[in-house]
Amino acid sequence: MNELLTLKSLGNFPLATSTILPILRDYRRPYDKINYWVKSGDLVQVKKGLYVLGQEISNQNPHPFLLANQIYGPSYVSLDSALSYFGLIPERVYQTSSVTTRISKIFKTPVGRFDYTQVKSNYFTMGIKNQGSTEAGFYLIASPEKAIWDKVVLTSGVIFRSKVEVRKFLEEDLRADEIGLAKMNLEIMKKWIPFSPKKTSLNLLIETLQEL
């Protein structure tokens, strides 16, 4: 139990095997101890090599965005998860969506569903923020501009041919907050055009946002 208290003292963070093993250095078979904790519910295995404390030890899981970064990386939180986080869409989101340079993948875990969409590396690096706090941990998330950008780029079937179609997408499909959209940095978005697919649609998006 002392070892579990030591884990708890580290804070409400995801626990990698490499974090747990030093605490079990006096055990001849530390992996057996980890497996015992999982079976007893003291640890919850999110995926191989990654755990969170069970409810008997801690009644709160790490922030899902922090988990998302660690479950599959390199990645950053984006799409509806980031749009909701920044108050740009009204819907509550029940899964965490991320963008990655690796193969697209979905993880269904005891602490939630996490999906990842693949993009090219030169596109990936644009518009990422380091968000969070020392107490809760830091995670990579799309800026508001990149989140709406990703939504257009990565949503199948979204092709704009006019600003009327852009407005319909923003107002009816996303029910996006117009005040938040009006605050976006359009100059930085213009710099992303050469590295992005759907250039015509993205130029129309910028032109529409300029009119807000």
Side-chain angles (χ1 to χ4, degrees), residues 93-109:
V93 178
Y94 293 96
Q95 68 177 27
T96 303
S97 298
S98 298
V99 171
T100 181
T101 55
R102 298 173 68 185
I103 295 171
S104 297
K105 202 162 185 177
I106 295 172
F107 292 83
K108 297 177 181 178
T109 81

Side-chain angles (χ1 to χ4, degrees), residues 14-17 44-52 67 70-71:
L15 299 167
T17 302
V44 176
Q45 185 175 35
V46 179
K47 70 164 200 173
K48 185 177 180 180
L50 187 66
Y51 307 85
V52 297
L67 279 166
Q70 297 200 24
I71 287 171

Side-chain angles (χ1 to χ4, degrees), residues 151-170:
K151 187 66 177 177
V152 172
V153 168
L154 300 176
T155 301
S156 177
V158 171
I159 300 292
F160 302 136
R161 296 173 181 81
S162 69
K163 288 186 283 185
V164 172
E165 291 182 348
V166 179
R167 279 195 170 273
K168 182 177 183 296
F169 176 73
L170 296 175

Side-chain angles (χ1 to χ4, degrees), residues 53 64 79 81 88-89 96 106 136 138 170 172 185 193 203 211:
L53 293 173
L79 301 164
S81 297
L88 290 169
I89 59 173
T96 303
I106 295 172
F138 292 92
L170 296 175
E172 297 182 19
N185 185 335
I193 292 288
N203 275 312
E211 297 176 355

